[in-house]
Amino acid sequence: DVHAPFDLDAKGEKIAFADGGLKVNMVGTGRSRLISPDLPCALAWSPDGRRIAAAFCRDSAGSLRIYGVEGDLLAEVRTPGRISGLAWRSMTEILAFDVRITQFSFVANLAEIILQWDGTGEPKVLASIDSTLRPSTMKHWKDVLVRSLTLKLSPQRDEILYASVKDPPAFTPYLRIVLHNLESGKGR
């Protein structure tokens, strides 16, 4: 599906992708299996390739789910925003990049929230960045922002890289690239 996520497991044996729902393709056999009829907005295989994290978005809310490789639902939690990126920090912890837009008559608030979830209870907020966006910025960039704002986990799994939107009143909007250390909780 256009603009749909996909992810290849670490061994290169399985591909998770969106095509009329969430599907998993076994590379060796070429066979695909439907895991969920819902369309995912973000996907990530666990480091061992035995589970897949999938985010499902409906307008400004959605859910985060963990499936076993056979398609069994292992865990699910509702999220108030639109998850645009997922990464497994460890065998049990998932990082999610949650984008929330609140539209007011004169401006919009863009919240970029980094969540950590272990498959039980509610996700923990690791960091939150808020920006005020002008109506003209929202008109031209809303769809791109919702799809494109995401995170990337470092190979050592101790830092994430993401873009934060800045829209100062007297200047052109721009992206601020942030490297966030997960141990210290600080970004630069």
Side-chain angles (χ1 to χ4, degrees), residues 5-8 14-18 22-25 43 45 52:
F6 69 92
D7 196 36
L8 182 67
K14 299 177 285 286
I15 302 170
F17 61 99
L22 170 58
K23 291 184 179 178
V24 171
N25 181 288
L43 297 168
W45 283 102
I52 186 161

Side-chain angles (χ1 to χ4, degrees), residues 22-177:
L22 170 58
K23 291 184 179 178
V24 171
N25 181 288
M26 306 305 281
V27 175
T29 65
R31 290 184 298 169
S32 294
R33 181 174 1 131
L34 181 67
I35 302 296
S36 171
D38 299 325
L39 286 173
C41 49
L43 297 168
W45 283 102
S46 63
D48 64 1
R50 298 180 64 194
R51 290 166 291 149
I52 186 161
F56 298 89
C57 305
R58 287 174 212 84
D59 298 321
S60 62
S63 63
L64 179 57
R65 302 175 192 164
I66 299 174
Y67 290 98
V69 73
E70 297 299 320
D72 46 326
L73 180 62
L74 304 175
E76 180 176 18
V77 68
R78 299 275 178 221
T79 58
R82 181 176 172 75
I83 295 177
S84 61
L86 292 171
W88 287 79
R89 183 170 184 210
S90 68
M91 294 297 283
T92 59
E93 292 179 330
I94 299 167
L95 298 176
F97 198 75
D98 190 13
V99 178
R100 302 175 191 176
I101 298 175
T102 306
Q103 188 72 50
F104 300 101
S105 59
F106 52 96
V107 294
N109 176 264
L110 170 68
E112 299 171 83
I113 301 165
I114 301 163
L115 301 173
Q116 179 179 323
W117 187 51
D118 64 2
T120 62
E122 292 297 313
K124 175 184 167 186
V125 174
L126 293 183
S128 179
I129 301 91
D130 281 278
S131 301
T132 301
L133 304 179
R134 294 175 286 177
S136 61
T137 302
M138 287 302 296
K139 180 180 176 183
H140 291 93
W141 297 104
K142 181 179 181 180
D143 293 336
V144 173
L145 292 175
V146 170
R147 263 196 336 266
S148 302
L149 294 175
T150 190
L151 61 84
K152 187 70 175 170
L153 185 64
S154 71
Q156 293 80 19
R157 300 182 187 278
D158 63 340
E159 293 181 309
I160 56 172
L161 188 70
Y162 63 91
S164 177
V165 178
K166 300 298 174 193
D167 191 11
F171 300 100
T172 304
Y174 64 94
L175 291 177
R176 178 177 165 243
I177 307 301

